[in-house]
Amino acid sequence: MAEELSLSRLAQVANFSDFHFHRVFQSMAGESVMEYVRKRRLAKSAYQVAHTELRLLDIALENGFHNHETFTRAFKRMFGMTPADYRKHGIKPPTYAKLNVLQRKYNPYLGGIQMDYRITTKPAYKVVGYELQTSINNGENLQKIPAFWQEYLQNGWGTRIPNRIHRESPVELGICHSFDMESGSMSYLIGMEVDHFEGVPADLVCREFAGAEYAVFTTPLVTPDQFSPSIQSTWKSIFDEWFPHSGYEHAGTPEFELYDERCHPGKPLIQMDIYLPVKRKGA
């Protein structure tokens, strides 16, 4: 635990790319890799403070803290008291359970084994639409993105998008791109594929995305009031259940949701597709 750890080092040990390891771990653990490392080190420290007579400085150094002051500040932020006070209070914490990222979980949608998907290649494409800045930290994206969609739909923003490829029956994309692994921030674009960017209103954004290979997942048929939860649970199932055992990893390029006539207003049961850019593990 005292050795210097980094996202890249841990991803290398796991035999994944930095981006894939970051995204899968964030989904399964609910926090970033390095935040988890920090908490594990502090939890181990707290156990040693409570259950041993080791010097506090030795505990600090053993758990990767460079000096007593840094250790004390971090410990107090997490536990609300200094290591010395923690020991005086006689608190006896349990050992900190390890996260098992390869554990298979039973999921009624997945059947606990696998998820239906198809592999497809999509050429480069252009999109015009509306963009939101958000973060995957603390589930912020799970709140902001559905609210962004509500605003988009209620204001009829889609009717302002020119040059769209699907003119008769709109096909909308929700694209996650420009991920920042350090901060957890990303951009989310709601828009439509277009032929060109001529005559686009100044308040809309124009983006061009490279071609890629995708694993495509379809959400289960649900009533409209369950649509947003079904999308979020499918995303989580992909990262928690499918990726760890699939032989694929995230390619680190933009991913998107596709909304077509299957989820247009008036349908009693609706669904959509999730496109994840993938590459063979180790490729």
Side-chain angles (χ1 to χ4, degrees):
M1 287 286 279
E3 66 179 294
E4 287 293 331
L5 296 178
S6 66
L7 172 64
S8 294
R9 170 61 181 148
L10 292 169
Q12 183 182 38
V13 171
N15 197 27
F16 286 124
S17 68
D18 290 5
F19 186 87
H20 177 81
F21 185 64
H22 165 73
R23 285 298 306 280
V24 170
F25 195 96
Q26 177 90 32
S27 177
M28 300 185 84
E31 57 193 352
S32 70
V33 174
M34 296 315 297
E35 179 66 9
Y36 176 79
V37 168
R38 185 186 72 84
K39 287 182 177 179
R40 274 200 64 83
R41 282 178 159 163
L42 285 168
K44 182 186 174 189
S45 299
Y47 187 87
Q48 290 176 316
V49 168
H51 293 278
T52 76
E53 297 299 322
L54 290 171
R55 291 192 313 155
L56 297 182
L57 178 59
D58 292 337
I59 292 174
L61 296 175
E62 182 182 333
N63 288 285
F65 296 94
H66 298 300
N67 54 60
H68 187 274
E69 291 74 20
T70 301
F71 173 56
T72 299
R73 284 197 302 270
F75 195 99
K76 189 172 182 179
R77 278 198 303 270
M78 184 164 180
F79 299 109
M81 63 183 77
T82 66
D85 288 338
Y86 196 87
R87 180 169 276 174
K88 287 177 185 176
H89 278 74
I91 300 169
K92 300 297 182 183
T95 55
Y96 191 69
K98 293 181 180 179
L99 174 68
N100 183 359
V101 296
L102 293 179
Q103 178 183 355
R104 291 182 182 269
K105 308 180 196 72
Y106 176 74
N107 182 300
Y109 176 44
L110 299 177
I113 301 173
Q114 65 179 16
M115 194 172 190
D116 289 335
Y117 69 97
R118 59 186 172 87
I119 300 295
T120 187
T121 300
K122 182 175 176 59
Y125 59 103
K126 299 179 176 69
V127 176
V128 169
Y130 303 80
E131 202 161 79
L132 169 76
Q133 299 302 311
T134 185
S135 171
I136 61 176
N137 294 333
N138 302 314
E140 177 187 304
N141 58 317
L142 302 181
Q143 301 297 321
K144 282 193 170 182
I145 290 176
F148 189 41
W149 270 105
Q150 284 299 314
E151 188 176 12
Y152 170 88
L153 295 169
Q154 289 172 2
N155 291 302
W157 288 349
T159 60
R160 300 186 60 235
I161 298 176
N163 316 324
R164 59 195 196 211
I165 292 173
H166 304 97
R167 294 178 176 82
E168 299 302 320
S169 182
V171 175
E172 288 148 324
L173 304 180
I175 306 171
C176 301
H177 68 97
S178 302
F179 295 97
D180 185 300
M181 287 186 286
E182 291 296 322
S183 67
S185 67
M186 69 174 188
S187 297
Y188 185 82
L189 170 64
I190 299 176
M192 301 184 199
E193 283 192 67
V194 300
D195 294 311
H196 54 81
F197 293 143
E198 295 176 14
V200 175
D203 60 324
L204 272 64
V205 298
C206 301
R207 301 281 184 237
E208 186 162 6
F209 298 98
E213 186 174 54
Y214 294 90
V216 184
F217 303 83
T218 301
T219 61
L221 281 166
V222 295
T223 54
D225 64 305
Q226 291 299 309
F227 194 36
S228 183
S230 79
I231 294 170
Q232 293 180 2
S233 65
T234 302
W235 272 104
K236 186 167 178 56
S237 295
I238 292 168
F239 281 97
D240 289 6
E241 285 286 313
W242 184 78
F243 260 133
H245 311 286
S246 67
Y248 287 95
E249 62 179 283
H250 200 295
T253 53
E255 58 201 32
F256 66 89
E257 302 161 336
L258 184 147
Y259 301 87
D260 55 19
E261 70 280 353
R262 292 171 297 167
C263 56
H264 285 174
K267 298 273 189 180
L269 296 174
I270 56 179
Q271 60 185 168
M272 49 74 75
D273 291 334
I274 294 173
Y275 281 66
L276 265 293
V278 294
K279 60 181 180 179
R280 281 287 180 183
K281 184 178 176 183

